[in-house]
Amino acid sequence: MQRHGQAVRFLPPLGPRVGGALRLGLLLFPRYSPGTSPRLEPLAPVEALRGLVEAEAVIRNLTQTRLEALVRWVESAPAYRLIYPDLASGLEWTRRALAEIGSWQIEA
């Protein structure tokens, strides 16, 4: 798969398969920024929606009804921009955000 002219690969999520819908617990938009301190910045729903669009999330056949459902979905959970200077702090802050803000936890 290509993204911005570079080969990328996506890994399947770890853990058991989940049947049915899950409640959205957290939207997290990571941003690598060398030389900065790691931090979470709260995002308004409109900023989170913009983040999904900018991330080129797959949204097919977007009708008015689907757009309204997407907006309700984005408004249903807190959203944050995670700014991190290196992989270790990015992973640590992601774990922290999922444990403290999100509705579930990941294992270290």
Side-chain angles (χ1 to χ4, degrees):
M1 174 177 269
Q2 295 281 321
R3 181 168 164 87
H4 302 292
Q6 293 185 328
V8 296
R9 65 185 175 137
F10 294 97
L11 302 175
L14 300 175
R17 292 189 137 197
V18 177
L22 294 175
R23 185 181 67 80
L24 178 63
L26 172 69
L27 285 166
L28 195 61
F29 297 90
R31 178 175 291 164
Y32 174 64
S33 183
T36 62
S37 296
R39 64 189 180 277
L40 289 172
E41 296 176 346
L43 297 176
V46 70
E47 293 173 295
L49 187 58
R50 183 179 306 120
L52 290 173
V53 171
E54 289 174 356
E56 299 176 13
V58 178
I59 304 171
R60 294 190 178 122
N61 304 321
L62 192 59
T63 64
Q64 183 66 35
T65 301
R66 288 183 177 179
L67 177 60
E68 290 169 359
L70 178 63
V71 169
R72 283 191 305 275
W73 182 71
V74 168
E75 290 176 333
S76 73
Y80 291 86
R81 179 177 298 114
L82 167 62
I83 299 172
Y84 65 97
D86 53 64
L87 182 58
S89 63
L91 289 172
E92 177 58 32
W93 279 70
T94 298
R95 285 185 184 100
R96 187 181 305 172
L98 289 172
E100 294 176 9
I101 302 167
S103 62
W104 54 281
Q105 295 183 4
I106 60 173
E107 297 196 359

